[in-house]
Amino acid sequence: MTEALSLSLRAWPIKDPNLDSLANLIPRINEQRGAFRNVTESSLEEEIRALEAGGAHAEDREPTIVMGEGQDTKSEREDILAAREDILKQVAQAQMEALYALDFVSLLLSKDTPRQAEISMSPHLKQSVPVSSLGLDITRLPQPSETEKRDAQLVSQGWKLEGLASAADSLLRSASRLEHEIEQETTYWGQILSVKQQGWSICRLPRERHTLGVRYGFVEAAPDFRDRGLAALRRGVDGNTVLDQGLTVSHHKTLRVQIRDRSVLVGTSSLPGVSGNVDNPIEELILRARNNIFEEELFHEINREARTLACQVVYSLDNVIHVPSLDDGEVLIDMVPLSSGLTQSGVSSGEEDKLAESIALSLRILLSYAHRQNLRRRSQLPPPLTERKPPRVIYAILRPILTYLQHQSALTATRRSLRVMLRPFVAAGLRCDFDVATLSSLKPMTLVEVNTDPGKAQVETLIDALNRPLESSVTITLPALTKLDVRIRTHLYPPTLGTDYIVTANATAPPSIPSTINFTSASDFEEHLLHLFTLDIVTTIVNFPPAGNAEIQSDTWLATDAHSGELTKSFSDLGKSKRMVISVLRDKLEIKWGWMNGKPEQGSYVWDEDRVDLKTLQKIVEEVGVYATKK
């Protein structure tokens, strides 16, 4: 009977809880069935029907282990011995647990039947624990009263209600927090969408891929300013978008242009106001950051260019760029905080303010044009690679402004000089005038050019025209019907730096004078004009009709030295001659006369601003050219 009894001393196997988890099921399904795309409902139904039809007894079959023909006998013996050792360990463990239980029951019974209990005790227990030291007794627990039951039930219900209330409060707080989080996310993404719809470039930050950023800088700007044109769009505490510019954040500044005349400020450009966009303040912040980096780059490039214009008296002092302007004035360019309200005393709101505003606007347009030129250069084929790094291009921003200012200064000085020069002519009764065509090279007909480059915008054609030499024309009409055409041309690009005066006379001019002369100095130009005026007055006097009331008639006046303004008139009956000299100065016209033979009778007459009782030139010439016998 002992041989037929089979006992299992192993512990009951416990099912692995991870056996049916997804982490184990998915690899098993992939291993058995292949990919999930191969497992369909129809294939599973066919497999179930096949099992029901032919494999009903498949579950009752025990798997048989087929030993390999070449299995090692020694390894099999070792496996058997290992199994035997494991069985013996389990049996010894069971025996020890049974002895512990016997000692416990014997010690418990030693209080009532000590002699019988000692028989079943182990020697170790007898030595370690005194007999009758452990006992048991049956007691009846007191039954709680109805009041205690009701109190216990109330306490239990209270704890349950408190737990339920705490859970409800926790759920309400979570729902409120979730609702608040949803509102903040809705506000944040709404503002991000609004920024995107306004045309700003939204991208991920290079070093924070989970953070969105906006690129407000200019791609064609200098590297120092191009890299600063990217800022993070972070969500604030209230859900609004915050523009995080990092360490580059500073007080926003803007470019200011001032006009100073003899140490007195007479004009200034307006500063852009800080407009608060209540609907979406992030757009205002982005626009302000874009304008700030543009203004900083503009001032930086102007400083670089100013170092190359020292020959034109352009210099920088205390972060203020000084550019010479009309007469003794100058243009001051600096950076001021955007929030500083400029209410300077003595600053007018007239033409000087318009000039300052025009200069500030032109500087910004020229920097944008430089960015466009960078894009055009970058779009072309690159030059061959060399070891030398190409230098940074210095933008032409101040040069067009300086060209305009110098041209206007030269044109204003010419206009003022002509008024002073021709005023004595008008006082002498001579017909003369001048007409000025300002910036004739920028007339609308010359700006509307045929654009041969299809990739070139019309605004680039306009800026190209501004970068060309500025030219104005002056037409001077003189008494002898002589017309002088003066072209004033200013160009501040190498190799020509300065203003040229090109004087062209008509065919009535003396043959000894070239028809076209070019001057680079304003003083030489004025001297040449005075010389031409002298020649014209000599021609006018020669063409005067003879006086008819003279007692002794004479011949007409002849130009003996027209370049010096000298004329002579001879009296054939008396054998005498008179000499007359015309002097044309900048602010007056003077005529002197006298006899050439013997002791001359000197006389002179001057036309200027101080003289009131003025006679005409023709009247003086007639009086000089008459010889009275009664005298």
Side-chain angles (χ1 to χ4, degrees), residues 95-245:
Q95 184 180 4
M96 291 297 297
E97 291 180 358
L99 292 176
Y100 288 155
L102 180 61
D103 285 344
F104 174 74
V105 173
S106 300
L107 182 61
L108 188 63
L109 295 176
S110 64
K111 183 179 181 181
D112 298 327
T113 57
R115 206 173 274 278
Q116 295 178 358
E118 286 182 2
I119 298 174
S120 59
M121 284 186 183
S122 62
H124 179 71
L125 179 63
K126 292 178 182 179
Q127 296 175 2
S128 302
V129 181
V131 181
S132 301
S133 60
L134 182 64
L136 61 93
D137 194 6
I138 300 175
T139 59
R140 184 181 297 274
L141 295 176
Q143 297 294 328
S145 62
E146 295 295 331
T147 303
E148 292 177 349
K149 290 181 179 180
R150 188 168 53 253
D151 292 341
Q153 186 177 3
L154 290 176
V155 170
S156 176
Q157 291 178 355
W159 279 108
K160 289 181 180 180
L161 290 176
E162 185 176 354
L164 292 175
S166 176
D169 292 340
S170 178
L171 291 175
L172 289 176
R173 285 193 301 270
S174 300
S176 177
R177 183 177 59 82
L178 184 60
E179 182 180 3
H180 184 63
E181 190 74 15
I182 292 173
E183 291 178 356
Q184 290 183 350
E185 286 291 325
T186 304
T187 303
Y188 173 75
W189 288 108
Q191 293 181 1
I192 293 295
L193 181 60
S194 177
V195 170
K196 179 66 176 179
Q197 291 175 351
Q198 291 296 325
W200 298 101
S201 177
I202 304 297
C203 61
R204 295 178 182 269
L205 294 183
R207 298 184 180 179
E208 299 181 37
R209 305 300 297 175
H210 62 282
T211 305
L212 289 179
V214 57
R215 186 175 296 280
Y216 55 84
F218 300 88
V219 180
E220 304 304 329
D224 298 339
F225 298 94
R226 182 184 62 234
D227 299 339
R228 290 172 48 193
L230 181 64
L233 295 175
R234 305 188 187 277
R235 197 189 74 178
V237 180
D238 54 352
N240 291 322
T241 309
V242 178
L243 186 66
D244 185 8
Q245 297 178 254

Side-chain angles (χ1 to χ4, degrees), residues 580 591 593 605 607 615-625:
M580 183 169 56
I591 180 173
W593 63 87
Y605 199 87
W607 289 271
K615 296 180 182 181
T616 62
L617 178 63
Q618 185 175 2
K619 182 67 174 176
I620 296 297
V621 172
E622 289 177 355
E623 292 179 358
V624 173

Side-chain angles (χ1 to χ4, degrees), residues 530-546:
L530 293 176
H531 185 204
L532 293 179
F533 292 169
T534 302
L535 295 176
D536 188 84
I537 290 181
V538 170
T539 305
T540 301
I541 294 175
V542 170
N543 294 331
F544 278 160

Side-chain angles (χ1 to χ4, degrees), residues 282-579:
I282 186 62
E283 297 178 12
E284 177 68 21
L285 293 177
I286 295 174
L287 184 61
R288 198 182 304 169
R290 193 274 308 270
N291 294 341
N292 179 67
I293 196 172
F294 183 82
E295 299 288 302
E296 288 184 3
E297 182 186 6
L298 175 59
F299 190 72
H300 174 73
E301 295 297 337
I302 291 176
N303 261 310
R304 292 182 65 232
E305 188 183 9
R307 300 189 188 102
T308 65
L309 295 175
C311 59
Q312 300 296 328
V313 201
V314 178
Y315 61 95
S316 177
L317 181 63
D318 296 334
N319 289 330
V320 179
I321 301 173
H322 298 254
V323 180
S325 181
L326 305 177
D327 297 334
D328 295 334
E330 61 180 352
V331 178
L332 308 179
I333 304 174
D334 61 348
M335 293 286 288
V336 294
L338 188 61
S339 58
S340 64
L342 288 183
T343 55
Q344 298 181 3
S345 59
V347 177
S348 62
S349 60
E351 295 297 329
E352 301 299 332
D353 283 343
K354 295 179 181 179
L355 176 60
E357 190 69 26
S358 301
I359 293 175
L361 181 61
S362 301
L363 292 174
R364 297 181 175 97
I365 292 176
L366 289 171
L367 179 59
S368 300
Y369 175 75
H371 288 170
R372 183 72 65 90
Q373 294 301 108
N374 289 342
L375 176 61
R376 184 175 296 277
R377 282 192 294 268
R378 194 162 57 88
S379 303
Q380 296 175 354
L381 292 176
L385 296 177
T386 58
E387 296 181 356
R388 180 179 299 177
K389 184 178 180 181
R392 278 186 57 188
V393 179
I394 297 179
Y395 301 148
I397 301 176
L398 278 180
R399 286 183 184 272
I401 303 300
L402 191 58
T403 301
Y404 173 79
L405 293 176
Q406 288 196 7
H407 186 77
Q408 287 294 332
S409 178
L411 189 61
T412 302
T414 303
R415 187 185 288 111
R416 188 185 303 116
S417 298
L418 287 176
R419 289 197 187 100
V420 175
M421 291 179 185
L422 297 181
R423 190 178 294 119
F425 285 59
V426 177
L430 302 176
R431 291 186 307 169
C432 55
D433 195 7
F434 69 93
D435 183 29
V436 179
T438 306
L439 298 178
S440 57
S441 60
L442 297 180
K443 292 302 180 183
M445 292 302 295
T446 61
L447 292 181
V448 183
E449 300 177 352
V450 178
N451 194 354
T452 57
D453 188 357
K456 196 171 186 179
Q458 188 67 26
V459 65
E460 294 186 54
T461 305
L462 174 62
I463 302 300
D464 289 340
L466 293 177
N467 286 328
R468 290 200 281 270
L470 298 180
E471 183 175 316
S472 299
S473 60
V474 181
T475 303
I476 306 173
T477 305
L478 297 178
L481 300 180
T482 302
K483 285 190 176 180
L484 301 177
D485 293 330
V486 180
R487 287 184 300 155
I488 303 175
R489 186 175 182 180
T490 306
H491 194 49
L492 292 184
Y493 292 87
T496 58
L497 297 173
T499 302
D500 294 339
Y501 301 87
I502 305 171
V503 182
T504 304
N506 59 3
T508 59
S512 59
I513 298 179
S515 59
T516 302
I517 304 179
N518 188 4
F519 298 94
T520 58
S521 172
S523 59
D524 295 342
F525 165 66
E526 291 183 5
E527 290 293 335
H528 183 66
L529 285 183
L530 293 176
H531 185 204
L532 293 179
F533 292 169
T534 302
L535 295 176
D536 188 84
I537 290 181
V538 170
T539 305
T540 301
I541 294 175
V542 170
N543 294 331
F544 278 160
N549 58 352
E551 298 181 6
I552 298 177
Q553 295 295 335
S554 62
D555 297 332
T556 58
W557 290 96
L558 299 177
T560 56
D561 188 0
H563 294 283
S564 300
E566 183 177 345
L567 298 95
T568 58
K569 185 175 185 179
S570 61
F571 295 87
S572 303
D573 298 340
L574 300 177
K576 293 183 178 182
S577 298
K578 275 192 175 181
R579 177 175 174 269

